[in-house]
Amino acid sequence: MNSLRIARAATRAFPTALRLQRQSRGYADAVSDKIQLTLALPHQSIYKSTDVVQVNLAAESGEMGVLANHVPSIEQLKPGLIEIIEESGGSKQFFLSGGFAIVQPGSKLSINAVEGFPLEDFSIDAVRSQITEAQKIASGGGSEQDIAEAKIELEASRIFQAA
């Protein structure tokens, strides 16, 4: 009973000490509309905490676009293209061999991949000839391993062709 009297006396003496702060968001709150992107390969960092507007990527769960204030998640990436829409309004595309995308609170996105290449490094003519070659091998012109590798090559080449 004594402790209750002490607590009451303390609240009378310091009424603001126990008052809860009201948390709310209003129109005046500054919310960033940018994502802080880090795109890292084992041998280089392509983006290091760079502000971008949006990132579109091919996750195992499906295609997804990441904007500012995206829900935190971890996504396994399948081989394919990612598109980065920069602050200037321009867009860059990269082919990644797979990896992981980690969306963190505070509009931070980290993408880690084993291999990644800018899309402009690929020639459409080279891709077409690669598809033709891979189709010959995949249709039964080689060992079981050669056929499996040709099918993977076909899948990757078709991604480039579609871009």
Side-chain angles (χ1 to χ4, degrees), residues 40-106:
L41 307 175
H43 58 279
Q44 84 179 94
S45 289
I46 299 172
Y47 286 88
K48 290 182 183 177
S49 298
T50 306
D51 285 342
V52 298
V53 176
Q54 181 175 348
V55 179
N56 299 320
L57 38 93
E60 287 291 336
S61 60
E63 301 288 321
M64 67 183 285
V66 180
L67 295 165
N69 300 312
H70 194 282
V71 65
S73 66
I74 298 175
E75 297 290 336
Q76 183 177 356
L77 301 177
K78 62 183 182 180
L81 294 176
I82 66 164
E83 179 183 24
I84 300 164
I85 300 169
E86 298 178 328
E87 282 185 292
S88 62
S91 152
K92 290 189 179 177
Q93 290 186 323
F94 293 88
F95 177 81
L96 298 183
S97 62
F100 288 91
I102 303 161
V103 182
Q104 299 169 327

Side-chain angles (χ1 to χ4, degrees), residues 112-138:
N112 300 308
V114 176
E115 293 181 315
F117 303 96
L119 189 61
E120 62 261 10
D121 286 359
F122 297 93
S123 158
I124 190 67
D125 295 328
V127 169
R128 285 183 187 138
S129 67
Q130 197 170 8
I131 288 174
T132 306
E133 231 176 271
Q135 284 173 333
K136 288 177 189 173
I137 296 170

